[in-house]
Amino acid sequence: MNQPSAQTDPSASDLHLPELPSRHSLGVKLMIYVILVISVTGLILGTVGYLVASRVVRDQIHRRLSTVVADRSEMVLSYIAQQKERAELVASRTQLRRYLARHARGGLQPHELVQSTKPILLDAQKSTPEFLTISIVSPMGTVLTSTDDTEVGKDLSAQGEFQIGLKDSHLGGPFQVGEAFQAWLASPLPAFEGRFLGVAMVRVSVDALHRILTRNRGFEGTNQVLIGRFVICESS
């Protein structure tokens, strides 16, 4: 008696089960993932740290510069106020204005005015070493008398400091003469017997002002402000 032959599923030979990944492959992938996570996290933390540190450095520099600027501004304003006050003291000298009033009325000739007022101006100059020359200028801009005889008769009507000095005390911008720094200081003379007499014009040394503006206090002795490794400000 013949045995029936076993029937086989024709698709069984074509069925392949997926191979499970080996432990080694899983470990490699896990390591790559961990490295990526650590790298991205480190990059984010580094960027945030850099931004925070940069902001802190900028804030510190800003506060320091603000302190230096406020300090310099106060010294400059104090210096200017002091010079203007000194010029006003010259302009307010009673005897000087009395001679000028007599001259304005025709009571003194030009050379007599110079002879009478020059000692007064020299005395004022001697009391303030920064005053290089002191001149009295008429309301029309002509130098009537001066500590420097070569200045007498000059026309200063177009000079900016004189124009401002007709109304208020004023220290003009500095200019360099050789290695020194000078400026014009102007102050109107108070009226005498109801008459406006002119303007006191002083050529003054402002080397002290130059030292205030170029002193290196607040810049660690180098007069430089540093951010990182880059010099962003340096005085000559």
Side-chain angles (χ1 to χ4, degrees):
M1 186 172 184
N2 294 331
Q3 296 290 333
S5 60
Q7 294 183 354
T8 59
D9 187 354
S11 63
S13 61
D14 296 333
L15 182 62
H16 297 284
L17 294 176
E19 294 182 359
L20 294 175
S22 66
R23 292 182 178 180
H24 177 72
S25 176
L26 286 173
V28 171
K29 291 180 179 179
L30 180 60
M31 183 175 64
I32 294 174
Y33 174 76
V34 171
I35 292 175
L36 287 175
V37 170
I38 293 174
S39 299
V40 172
T41 304
L43 179 62
I44 293 174
L45 292 176
T47 302
V48 172
Y50 171 77
L51 294 175
V52 172
S54 299
R55 179 64 180 270
V56 171
V57 171
R58 284 197 301 268
D59 289 345
Q60 290 177 346
I61 292 174
H62 178 73
R63 286 195 296 270
R64 186 168 186 177
L65 289 178
S66 297
T67 300
V68 173
V69 169
D71 181 59
R72 300 285 174 92
S73 297
E74 183 177 351
M75 288 189 291
V76 169
L77 292 175
S78 176
Y79 175 86
I80 293 174
Q82 183 183 53
Q83 296 303 319
K84 289 166 65 173
E85 181 179 354
R86 289 173 173 175
E88 290 166 0
L89 289 175
V90 174
S92 64
R93 293 202 172 196
T94 303
Q95 189 61 35
L96 174 65
R97 292 184 293 132
R98 182 175 288 114
Y99 284 130
L100 289 168
R102 284 181 58 189
H103 173 263
R105 295 194 303 267
L108 283 178
Q109 297 298 315
H111 71 278
E112 294 175 324
L113 175 66
V114 173
Q115 292 175 353
S116 301
T117 57
K118 187 175 180 179
I120 300 174
L121 299 180
L122 288 173
D123 180 68
Q125 182 184 23
K126 187 183 300 183
S127 65
T128 308
E130 292 88 352
F131 285 4
L132 304 176
T133 62
I134 304 176
S135 301
I136 304 300
V137 185
S138 73
M140 301 302 295
T142 302
V143 178
L144 299 175
T145 181
S146 175
T147 55
D148 182 356
D149 292 336
T150 62
E151 294 292 314
V152 177
K154 286 187 177 180
D155 182 7
L156 303 183
S157 60
Q159 191 166 319
E161 290 83 1
F162 168 75
Q163 294 293 334
I164 299 174
L166 289 169
K167 298 179 180 179
D168 196 10
S169 298
H170 174 70
L171 178 64
F175 53 89
Q176 193 166 1
V177 179
E179 296 183 354
F181 291 87
Q182 301 175 8
W184 282 103
L185 178 63
S187 181
L189 276 72
F192 189 84
E193 297 177 350
R195 185 192 298 269
F196 177 63
L197 301 172
V199 178
M201 294 284 291
V202 183
R203 187 162 54 87
V204 58
S205 169
V206 291
D207 286 337
L209 179 60
H210 179 258
R211 288 192 296 271
I212 291 174
L213 295 174
T214 57
R215 64 187 301 184
N216 59 18
R217 196 181 82 173
F219 294 100
E220 299 298 337
T222 65
N223 236 17
Q224 298 176 348
V225 181
L226 302 177
I227 295 182
R229 298 180 180 179
F230 300 94
V231 179
I232 65 168
C233 177
E234 179 176 0
S235 69
S236 58

